[in-house]
Amino acid sequence: MRRGFFLLLLLMPVLAAEQAWAQSNDPAYGLGPGRRPKREMPCMDDREQKAEALIRTGIILREIGRECARRRVDMDLLPLWYAFDAANAEQIQAAARLRGAALERNYPETPEVALRVDNRLIASTGLLRMANEECNVARNLVQSFAEYNDFVRHAQRTELGRVKNIYPICKTRNNRGDR
């Protein structure tokens, strides 16, 4: 009798493991290992990637201007950026619409996805550790934008690579919701 009791004590963990394994491999018992549906990777086409890079660049420059004004290091940068933004409002708004549609396609279940992406970008730029000299550099940069294409070239040089890492080109047309 004692031998059977001790044998049962030794086999209990084995029996429990076998039962858990059987339940995890039972199709009626939910999704087992390797059976979970994979979420599609967010992707963008080349136009959407460029629009995302433009918007990200504008957000970063605006936030640098705000931080410089908050610190009272450079009070002219933010109005300078807003003047450039107003002068090129049509192109920037078109890029924002294209970007917004791409983000809504990639994250349909997330409300206000563009605002969330913007907030994450602002939080990750590290503006609180920014040196005061960066205000001068940013002001010189914004002043160098003689025309909109100068801004586009700067955005493609600085942000487009990051955007391509986050949102690769869609592999098939089916990944794009509107084609």
Side-chain angles (χ1 to χ4, degrees):
M1 175 96 171
R2 283 185 156 181
R3 181 184 274 173
F5 179 72
F6 287 115
L7 186 59
L8 182 62
L9 283 177
L10 290 174
L11 290 178
M12 281 180 66
V14 174
L15 293 173
E18 283 183 12
Q19 182 182 10
W21 182 83
Q23 286 177 343
S24 68
N25 288 326
D26 183 10
Y29 187 78
L31 299 173
R35 295 186 182 173
R36 291 183 175 87
K38 292 185 179 179
R39 186 179 180 278
E40 286 188 30
M41 284 287 297
C43 64
M44 292 184 177
D45 67 15
D46 57 336
R47 294 176 315 127
E48 293 166 340
Q49 286 178 340
K50 290 175 184 173
E52 174 72 15
L54 288 172
I55 299 303
R56 289 170 67 97
T57 302
I59 290 170
I60 290 169
L61 288 172
R62 182 194 67 206
E63 292 304 315
I64 290 173
R66 285 181 179 171
E67 183 64 17
C68 293
R70 185 188 70 77
R71 291 183 187 182
R72 299 192 186 286
V73 174
D74 188 345
M75 303 300 283
D76 298 329
L77 175 57
L78 193 57
L80 189 64
W81 168 251
Y82 282 142
F84 176 82
D85 187 30
N88 299 289
E90 286 184 29
Q91 292 108 323
I92 293 174
Q93 287 174 0
R97 284 190 298 274
L98 186 60
R99 172 204 191 227
L103 289 174
E104 287 175 5
R105 183 189 72 240
N106 282 312
Y107 304 102
E109 70 283 350
T110 307
E112 299 178 1
V113 65
L115 181 64
R116 290 178 182 214
V117 170
D118 294 349
N119 289 340
R120 185 181 306 158
L121 172 66
I122 292 167
S124 68
T125 55
L127 294 176
L128 296 177
R129 297 180 308 271
M130 184 176 80
N132 290 343
E133 291 79 20
E134 291 182 71
C135 296
N136 295 331
V137 171
R139 184 175 12 87
N140 293 338
L141 178 66
V142 174
Q143 286 173 342
S144 73
F145 298 152
E147 58 182 34
Y148 181 72
N149 287 334
D150 296 334
F151 172 65
V152 171
R153 280 191 291 276
H154 173 73
Q156 289 178 348
R157 267 194 320 264
T158 58
E159 289 296 319
L160 189 58
R162 290 184 188 112
V163 170
K164 287 182 177 184
N165 284 334
I166 298 169
Y167 304 106
I169 294 283
C170 298
K171 291 183 175 70
T172 65
R173 288 182 168 216
N174 292 339
N175 287 354
R176 293 266 320 191
D178 56 353
R179 287 190 183 174

